[in-house]
Amino acid sequence: MQPYNPTTLIIGAGPAGLAMAGQLAQRGLPFTVLEASEHIGFAWRNHYDRLHLHTVKQHSALPHLPYPATYPTYVSRLQMVEYLERYAEQFDIKPLYGQAVTNIQKQADGLWRVQTQTDVFVAERVVVATGYNRVPNAPELPGQRAFRGVIWHSREYRNGAAFRNEDVLVVGMGNTGAEIALDLVEHDARPVISVRGPVNIVRRDVFGRPAQPTAIFLSKFPNWFYDFMARLSQRFSVGDMSAYGLGKPEHAPSFDTRRGKIPVIDIGTLDQIKAGKIKVAPGIERVNARSVTFADGSERPFDAIVLATGYRPGLTALLGDALAHRILNERGFPKSLWFNESGLTDLYFLGFTTPLTGVIYNLTIDSERIANHIAKNNFIPA
């Protein structure tokens, strides 16, 4: 294996990796993009069918390229894939495909060594843009092996057509679980969502207007004011959902978001819960052959279970324990976009935050900060 020697190595060709490449291309700085799959935007190609952005297109484009005017306010999954491909063409981004990174480490000479399954890359700096949902989190439920129905992780779910007229348990009510439950209703299934604790919910549209621009505006104020207004808006638009089994959150959604707990951006699930078409159950006690027993002692029959239990960034496996201990927080996410400590310089992380203002909106801001840092502090023209 002969080492490649790019100046800046970007790991991942999803929205984060492309945003970073676009920023560097705009500045005329060289880079190489590594992608584990054979496609740009691989995760978006494999999400469930009905997925749309929960943020408006005006605030959700990657740097220096707006969405086409013909796109709707909330961009669909397939439109997003089309846009990502167009973005790569616009900035002449040509990833090296089939390059699944297995290890990242700093060499004695100060350069970064990135090992993939087939090659070795040596670079002055590395931008890790593999995303916060790289590795599926699929915990085994108590008694799960006795279940005679279908058990899928949400990554395997495409639409509810296969579950028509069936009782389906959705485990977890994050954004994916809430939307899958809604999709199941639309395909004439009978979904139940298992929820272990209070769920913080924000309407995607409040009084007919998208919520994201308001979140962006409020983010410019002190946190206490942002939290006060977010709680007030939630009280009027969502109300108290504890009577429906969703509990009453202790904090405002903005408060929880700053601590890494993403609120549910509701696009219709709440109305279906209130109408009784989506049921809510507490945490799972155990899974039986054809039913599930819940923490309150109740038992319900199910034909299938969908684990909407999320993903993990999986960065420890790439960085190794020693490096990960210095860089990652207790949840496995990077503590910062970059680090100035000895042995950590020239290693950047993009796409690991989930603010209420929007993930892609934040990608543009953070990728610009990283690109400016690279241009100012690291890049030396040939």
Side-chain angles (χ1 to χ4, degrees):
M1 294 183 295
Q2 296 297 319
Y4 294 82
N5 295 278
T7 303
T8 298
L9 193 63
I10 301 170
I11 303 175
L18 294 180
M20 192 68 253
Q23 294 279 23
L24 296 179
Q26 187 75 3
R27 291 163 172 77
L29 304 182
F31 60 86
T32 297
V33 179
L34 303 183
E35 169 55 38
S37 74
E38 298 298 328
H39 300 282
I40 282 171
F42 180 77
W44 275 92
R45 294 172 187 271
N46 289 276
H47 280 307
Y48 47 90
D49 294 345
R50 81 185 309 278
L51 180 66
H52 286 64
L53 284 178
H54 289 166
T55 52
V56 299
K57 68 175 182 179
Q58 291 86 348
H59 296 297
S60 302
L62 297 184
H64 312 299
L65 185 66
Y67 288 105
T70 55
Y71 278 21
T73 299
Y74 297 105
V75 177
S76 74
R77 179 182 67 87
L78 292 179
Q79 288 169 329
M80 186 66 178
V81 171
E82 179 184 60
Y83 170 77
L84 294 177
E85 291 176 341
R86 185 178 303 172
Y87 192 88
E89 292 175 4
Q90 175 76 16
F91 294 100
D92 196 29
I93 303 168
K94 298 176 180 177
L96 301 180
Y97 295 108
Q99 294 288 353
V101 173
T102 58
N103 183 255
I104 302 170
Q105 59 180 291
K106 192 131 189 184
Q107 298 183 154
D109 60 5
L111 298 178
W112 286 96
R113 183 180 189 275
V114 176
Q115 173 79 55
T116 72
Q117 293 178 344
T118 57
D119 295 289
V120 174
F121 296 81
V122 177
E124 293 178 28
R125 64 195 64 85
V126 173
V127 182
V128 181
T130 50
Y132 62 88
N133 58 354
R134 188 174 72 91
V135 181
N137 177 45
E140 183 167 330
L141 304 174
Q144 176 177 314
R145 298 185 185 185
F147 189 64
R148 297 183 183 179
V150 171
I151 300 180
W152 285 354
H153 186 271
S154 59
R155 65 172 171 169
E156 301 168 281
Y157 183 94
R158 293 296 174 267
N159 59 63
F163 303 103
R164 193 177 306 276
N165 296 319
E166 292 191 347
D167 295 294
V168 183
L169 176 64
V170 179
V171 181
M173 190 175 169
N175 281 293
T176 297
E179 192 158 358
I180 285 177
L182 184 60
D183 188 65
L184 287 166
V185 166
E186 293 172 352
H187 284 87
D188 298 320
R190 296 180 294 273
V192 175
I193 306 178
S194 173
V195 178
R196 290 191 297 179
V199 180
N200 230 324
I201 301 169
V202 175
R203 296 274 193 183
R204 187 187 68 179
D205 300 276
V206 180
F207 306 124
R209 298 175 63 86
Q212 185 197 15
T214 302
I216 292 172
F217 175 73
L218 290 175
S219 68
K220 305 178 189 303
F221 290 87
N223 288 338
W224 70 265
F225 182 75
Y226 189 1
D227 294 345
F228 172 78
M229 294 302 296
R231 177 70 93 183
L232 190 64
S233 174
Q234 185 182 56
R235 185 180 304 164
F236 283 107
S237 61
V238 175
D240 186 354
M241 295 295 296
S242 56
Y244 296 93
L246 296 178
K248 189 173 182 179
E250 182 180 357
H251 303 292
S254 50
F255 181 96
D256 280 351
T257 300
R258 291 195 299 272
R259 284 150 181 77
K261 188 175 181 180
I262 307 170
V264 172
I265 309 300
D266 178 64
I267 58 172
T269 303
L270 285 187
D271 292 339
Q272 296 299 332
I273 290 174
K274 290 179 178 179
K277 293 184 178 181
I278 298 175
K279 307 292 185 183
V280 177
I284 296 170
E285 182 70 26
R286 68 177 180 278
V287 177
N288 310 306
R290 299 186 184 277
S291 66
V292 172
T293 303
F294 295 97
D296 62 356
S298 63
E299 183 177 351
R300 303 189 191 198
F302 290 103
D303 302 295
I305 298 174
V306 178
L307 301 173
T309 45
Y311 295 79
R312 297 289 183 268
L315 292 176
T316 299
L318 301 183
L319 300 171
D321 290 338
L323 195 57
H325 179 73
R326 299 177 64 188
I327 289 175
L328 307 181
N329 62 22
E330 65 280 357
R331 297 173 53 248
F333 290 83
K335 299 175 186 176
S336 181
L337 295 180
W338 66 78
F339 302 85
N340 296 318
E341 302 172 38
S342 175
L344 301 181
T345 55
D346 300 317
L347 179 63
Y348 301 86
F349 294 88
L350 179 65
F352 295 93
T353 58
T354 55
L356 273 180
T357 49
V359 172
I360 300 179
Y361 175 82
N362 220 54
L363 283 182
T364 296
I365 296 172
D366 287 345
S367 61
E368 182 175 19
R369 291 178 60 195
I370 291 174
N372 288 341
H373 190 268
I374 289 173
K376 180 180 179 181
N377 299 306
N378 296 298
F379 182 68
I380 302 175

